[in-house]
Amino acid sequence: MGEDTDTQNINHSFLRDYVTEADVISTAEFNQTGDLLATGDKGGRVVIFQREPESKAESCCQGEYNVYSTFQSHEPDFDYLKSLEIEEKINKIRWVPQNNAARFLLSTNDKTIKLWKVSERDKRPEGYNLKDEEGRVKDPSTVTTLQVPVLKPTDLMVEVSPRRVFANGHTYHVNSISVNSDCETYLSADDLRINLWHLGITDRSFNIVDIKPANMEDLTEVITAAEFHPQHCNLFIYGSSKGIVRLCDMRASALCDQHTKLFEGPEDPENRSFFSEIISSISDAHFSHSGRYLLTRDYLTVKVWDINMERGPIETYQVHEYLRSKLCSLYENDCIFDKFECAWNSTDRETGRDVTLEAAQDSGKTRAVLKTRRVRSGGKRRRDHVTVDSLDFTRKILHMAWHPTENIIAIAATNNLYIFQDKVTSETL
């Protein structure tokens, strides 16, 4: 992304003046074309935004995302066997590759995964023989002629309907779902297990990873993220709280407890501390679009790996290095357990310097240009610098998605969804 970046701010609570816990966005995901963007929130709702077609006549609205459909995906539930409440919060959304006019997406809370069908209807049948225009059944004795029903244009209606419910597959909280490249299966991961599902079968799944020890006192790590390879349906990765990413091949074994490759970054002895194990946990991991590279995120860094080279990352980016001096405070307010996400751009990797942009309150207007900011731990402060002591840890960005083909990023901050894109010049409109 360049320094000149436009932003579109969409309020997820639809113009409410206050933020309730249910309105906080918990996930965001573009579909395969980037025309649709789905978000889920802690209230169990899914909001789908559609990108407006580009229009020279209305250049101010070029490429903006507006609400396309809203539906309630999950409701709060209760596990009576364990006496546990199951939140309605949407943990992940994944789009299924489109094969026809309808679109499908998977959404999950802590326990239950659902498959939804999203379709459009802009015509309706008229001229029924046995029903009137209001849909009421006619008296058969009054029907004296036969007519062929016809389709008449009508206002566009977006219909969202549940097609499958995948329940009872996880004992622990689901943290990841990923659709396979075969477009028939997907995986779901919780803290200790990864299951393989068929999109057409809801009553059973196949366990492909199980790291639960015989004695839970011997538990040393949990699964934090999992994803299928974009081209090879037999390969998948999963990250753990130990800062390790494992590559597994389902051709080698039905139960992939033994990994094919292991990616673990070397630890700097000088930075070893009480918090090292916590901040090294993998919070997000993704294959590149080509499948050649891995992108992993821990608390302070982003790493790029070549899947053919296990000995160490080929690139490491220090994202929050200035927070290393604040780990004690972050531990006390639980912010050290935040799970940050990462995303690839459409070209996998580009050479260039990093840019830090601030989504400040005064830049929440449509088409506002973001300011570059840098955080300093100390020393002389410049105009574009902020000090680490002045950071508000309640204003953080945990969820993001990158458009599959363009430099457009969607990020979620509390109940606001920000759409960032490279600055559009008048010559290109």
Side-chain angles (χ1 to χ4, degrees):
M1 299 290 288
E3 288 190 22
D4 290 333
T5 304
D6 291 335
T7 178
Q8 178 190 357
N9 179 14
I10 302 173
N11 193 295
H12 209 256
S13 60
F14 303 108
L15 303 180
R16 295 175 186 166
D17 295 330
Y18 58 92
V19 180
T20 63
E21 187 71 11
D23 293 328
V24 175
I25 301 175
S26 53
T27 186
E29 182 76 6
F30 283 103
N31 72 339
Q32 284 72 25
T33 64
D35 294 331
L36 297 179
L37 171 64
T39 63
D41 61 28
K42 291 187 176 181
R45 297 181 296 268
V46 172
V47 181
I48 302 176
F49 299 92
Q50 184 181 47
R51 192 180 188 187
E52 293 298 320
E54 296 184 359
S55 172
K56 293 184 178 180
E58 299 179 3
S59 59
C60 63
C61 301
Q62 183 184 26
E64 287 190 359
Y65 286 82
N66 294 314
V67 175
Y68 178 67
S69 179
T70 304
F71 62 95
Q72 188 72 32
S73 175
H74 287 72
E75 300 281 356
D77 204 352
F78 190 81
D79 187 336
Y80 293 95
L81 293 177
K82 297 183 178 180
S83 297
L84 293 175
E85 292 184 0
I86 302 174
E87 295 181 350
E88 63 271 34
K89 171 192 170 186
I90 307 299
N91 291 341
K92 291 292 180 182
I93 292 175
R94 291 292 181 265
W95 290 90
V96 179
Q98 187 174 357
N99 294 320
N100 50 42
R103 300 177 176 93
F104 293 85
L105 62 83
L106 291 165
S107 63
T108 183
N109 65 350
D110 286 341
K111 300 291 185 180
T112 304
I113 306 162
K114 295 183 179 182
L115 176 66
W116 297 89
K117 178 182 179 181
V118 183
S119 57
E120 295 181 351
R121 188 175 66 181
D122 58 0
K123 294 181 177 63
R124 68 174 182 178
E126 293 183 359
Y128 286 110
N129 290 283
L130 300 179
K131 294 181 181 178
D132 60 21
E133 297 300 326
E134 302 297 328
R136 293 186 294 266
V137 178
K138 296 180 181 178
D139 183 354
S141 61
T142 63
V143 179
T144 57
T145 59
L146 294 178
Q147 57 182 338
V148 178
V150 296
L151 293 175
K152 294 289 186 67
T154 185
D155 293 337
L156 177 66
M157 294 181 59
V158 180
E159 297 178 337
V160 181
S161 56
R163 300 307 300 268
R164 303 279 191 278
V165 177
F166 305 90
N168 306 317
H170 289 276
T171 304
Y172 307 97
H173 292 176
V174 177
N175 56 51
S176 302
I177 51 177
S178 177
V179 181
N180 203 348
S181 59
D182 61 12
C183 299
E184 293 184 354
T185 58
Y186 74 94
L187 65 76
S188 59
D190 63 25
D191 293 340
L192 299 178
R193 295 187 176 97
I194 300 177
N195 292 337
L196 179 67
W197 301 81
H198 191 281
L199 285 168
I201 302 174
T202 62
D203 59 351
R204 61 187 180 275
S205 61
F206 187 78
N207 180 232
I208 54 177
V209 172
D210 188 347
I211 65 170
K212 182 180 180 181
N215 185 351
M216 287 296 285
E217 293 182 358
D218 298 329
L219 182 66
T220 59
E221 65 179 328
V222 295
I223 299 169
T224 55
E227 184 178 73
F228 267 121
H229 191 281
Q231 281 91 36
H232 303 299
C233 60
N234 54 289
L235 298 178
F236 68 92
I237 56 170
Y238 69 92
S240 79
S241 58
K242 276 190 171 181
I244 299 172
V245 176
R246 295 174 174 88
L247 175 69
C248 299
D249 190 340
M250 291 189 291
R251 297 173 301 182
S253 175
L255 187 62
C256 300
D257 286 348
Q258 299 299 320
H259 55 268
T260 302
K261 294 185 178 182
L262 183 144
F263 305 92
E264 182 179 13
E267 184 182 5
D268 185 356
E270 295 182 359
N271 290 328
R272 180 70 184 176
S273 70
F274 170 79
F275 307 104
S276 294
E277 291 187 4
I278 300 176
I279 63 176
S280 66
S281 175
I282 300 296
S283 59
D284 202 11
H286 295 288
F287 280 103
S288 63
H289 298 291
S290 66
R292 173 66 185 272
Y293 304 100
L294 297 177
L295 187 69
T296 63
R297 179 75 159 94
D298 57 42
Y299 195 76
L300 298 180
T301 65
V302 172
K303 297 182 176 69
V304 179
W305 304 78
D306 188 322
I307 64 172
N308 297 322
M309 191 178 72
E310 299 175 67
R311 65 176 180 268
I314 57 177
E315 294 172 5
T316 299
Y317 298 94
Q318 304 294 336
V319 183
H320 296 312
E321 184 61 26
Y322 48 81
L323 291 180
R324 194 176 294 276
S325 62
K326 297 293 180 181
L327 293 179
C328 185
S329 299
L330 293 168
Y331 180 80
E332 292 175 353
N333 60 23
D334 287 340
C335 288
I336 199 171
F337 300 106
D338 288 336
K339 305 298 182 184
F340 295 101
E341 297 179 358
C342 58
W344 288 97
N345 74 345
S346 58
T347 57
D348 283 355
R349 299 174 66 216
E350 289 182 347
T351 302
R353 65 186 183 88
D354 60 312
V355 177
T356 302
L357 302 169
E358 182 185 20
Q361 190 69 27
D362 58 357
S363 62
K365 299 179 293 184
T366 301
R367 297 296 175 188
V369 177
L370 295 186
K371 302 175 182 177
T372 58
R373 305 284 267 181
R374 293 188 181 278
V375 182
R376 297 180 62 89
S377 300
K380 187 177 180 180
R381 178 184 173 185
R382 297 182 182 177
R383 185 181 61 177
D384 61 340
H385 288 182
V386 294
T387 62
V388 66
D389 294 323
S390 66
L391 294 178
D392 182 357
F393 295 122
T394 64
R395 297 173 58 194
K396 51 200 170 190
I397 298 167
L398 300 179
H399 310 289
M400 64 174 299
W402 201 310
H403 191 284
T405 60
E406 301 180 38
N407 266 350
I408 298 176
I409 299 177
I411 65 169
T414 60
N415 66 321
N416 288 296
L417 178 68
Y418 293 89
I419 310 292
F420 300 107
Q421 68 182 70
D422 280 345
K423 187 175 181 180
V424 181
T425 60
S426 59
E427 288 81 5
T428 63
L429 296 180

